[in-house]
Amino acid sequence: MNANQQEAAFLAAIDADPLDDAPRLIYADWLDENHEPAAAEFLRAELEVASTSSQATDIARRRERLWRAWA
């Protein structure tokens, strides 16, 4: 399976169960391994924002910074 097929499989797994964080975390690890650390950290920040209330503002700022770096 080539990188494009692997990425498509990760995205399909995320779409199949949007409430499950595991596929996103696995995809983030894959992005790290495939030279996309900003994208990986962005996904992790997204999960943190969704699960953290007291630090949400700081995480949201980091997420926006990462989004600008990635986009």
Side-chain angles (χ1 to χ4, degrees):
M1 185 181 300
N2 68 34
N4 289 336
Q5 292 169 323
Q6 289 175 333
E7 187 167 25
F10 289 125
L11 295 173
I14 291 167
D15 285 342
D17 192 354
L19 299 179
D20 186 2
D21 293 344
R24 284 181 178 79
L25 291 170
I26 295 166
Y27 181 43
D29 290 343
W30 182 86
L31 287 166
D32 271 333
E33 293 169 4
N34 286 274
H35 312 290
E36 294 288 343
E41 191 174 352
F42 175 80
L43 288 176
R44 291 183 185 109
E46 285 279 296
L47 292 172
E48 286 181 56
V49 167
S51 66
T52 306
S53 60
S54 65
Q55 299 175 358
T57 301
D58 291 339
I59 294 168
R61 285 186 191 126
R62 186 174 108 220
R63 180 186 68 183
E64 291 303 319
R65 177 180 51 79
L66 293 166
W67 174 250
R68 286 191 298 276
W70 181 31

